[in-house]
């Protein structure tokens, strides 16, 4: 369990971790008598993966974009908690040059549908920045539409759509320098 970075920052001592888990009010985790093993409490088993549960989770899952790139999980969770209990927050990250950098967007799961709706209806900024707020399902539907539109436009990415078309200024010599030599593939007749 000390492989989890957030927990490792707090402590790597098993006794301290076990003691804290025993004091937990939600009683989700049980600690063995020797304090070296943990498991989910049998009094709170995992919920069954039913269609009803999946629909309930969809109705409580949100997407939000516009957070500062240096925001922390604790700061975001504290902000979201002003709307009601939050069960989960996933900070979306992009991998560039081997590093996982926060993209400024999150997925979150609220405890109640009412709290989810409060968050979606709110226009309160986060540290002065406006947030785009959608149900997670609506976000995925909009991404699907964007992908279909992109595919219909010949596969251009968003960044390609906004760039100017500089291809008119490129000469054969420019291409030869960067990509090698051009070869003429039109059939030619050779006379002997």
């Amino acid at each position: 369990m000390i492989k989890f970075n957030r927990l490792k920052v707090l402590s790597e001592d098993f006794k301290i971790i076990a003691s804290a888990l025993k004091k937990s009010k939600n009683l989700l985790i049980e600690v063995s008598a020797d304090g070296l093993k943990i498991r989910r409490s049998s009094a709170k088993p995992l919920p069954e993966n039913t269609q009803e549960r999946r629909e309930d989770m969809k109705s409580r899952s949100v997407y939000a974009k516009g957070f500062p790139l240096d925001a922390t999980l604790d700061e975001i969770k504290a902000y979201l908690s002003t709307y009601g209990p939050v069960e989960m927050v996933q900070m979306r990250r992009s991998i560039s040059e081997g590093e996982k950098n926060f993209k400024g967007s999150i997925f979150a799961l609220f405890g109640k549908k009412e709290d989810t709706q409060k968050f979606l209806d709110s226009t309160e900024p986060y540290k002065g920045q406006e947030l785009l707020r959608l149900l997670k399902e609506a976000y995925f539907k909009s991404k699907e539409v964007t992908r279909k539109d992109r595919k219909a436009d010949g596969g251009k990415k968003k960044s390609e759509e906004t760039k100017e078309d500089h291809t008119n200024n490129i000469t054969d010599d420019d291409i030869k320098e960067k990509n090698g030599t051009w070869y003429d593939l039109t059939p030619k007749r050779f006379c002997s």
Side-chain angles (χ1 to χ4, degrees), residues 6 62-93 102-110 119 124-127 129 131 133:
R6 285 178 55 98
V62 297
Y63 165 80
K65 179 180 179 181
F67 292 98
L69 301 181
D70 61 349
T72 66
L73 179 61
D74 292 329
E75 292 170 343
I76 292 171
K77 192 168 182 180
Y79 171 76
L80 295 173
S81 295
T82 62
Y83 297 98
V86 178
E87 291 182 12
M88 183 273 312
V89 176
Q90 176 189 353
M91 295 175 72
R92 300 183 67 232
R93 299 184 183 277
F102 179 47
K103 294 171 66 170
S105 61
I106 57 123
F107 292 123
L109 178 65
F110 282 95
F119 173 75
E124 179 186 340
Y126 175 82
K127 294 187 177 181
Q129 291 185 300
L131 298 176
R133 303 160 190 248

Side-chain angles (χ1 to χ4, degrees), residues 10 22 25 45 49 53 72 74 87 94 107-108 111 127 129 131 135 144 150 153 171 183:
L10 298 173
K22 286 178 183 177
K25 293 178 184 174
N49 189 13
R53 172 144 168 78
T72 66
D74 292 329
E87 291 182 12
S94 62
F107 292 123
K127 294 187 177 181
Q129 291 185 300
L131 298 176
L135 278 172
E144 184 179 332
R150 188 178 301 147
D153 289 343
T171 65
Y183 292 98

Side-chain angles (χ1 to χ4, degrees), residues 26-71:
N26 69 9
L27 304 175
L28 184 64
I29 304 290
E30 293 177 351
V31 180
S32 66
D34 62 3
L36 297 175
K37 297 177 186 172
I38 62 167
R39 69 176 180 190
R40 187 178 184 105
S41 172
S42 55
K44 291 191 174 187
L46 280 173
E48 289 189 36
N49 189 13
T50 62
Q51 182 65 28
E52 182 181 315
R53 172 144 168 78
R54 287 189 298 271
E55 291 298 322
D56 176 56
M57 288 181 68
K58 276 185 189 178
S59 69
R60 297 182 293 121
S61 298
V62 297
Y63 165 80
K65 179 180 179 181
F67 292 98
L69 301 181
D70 61 349

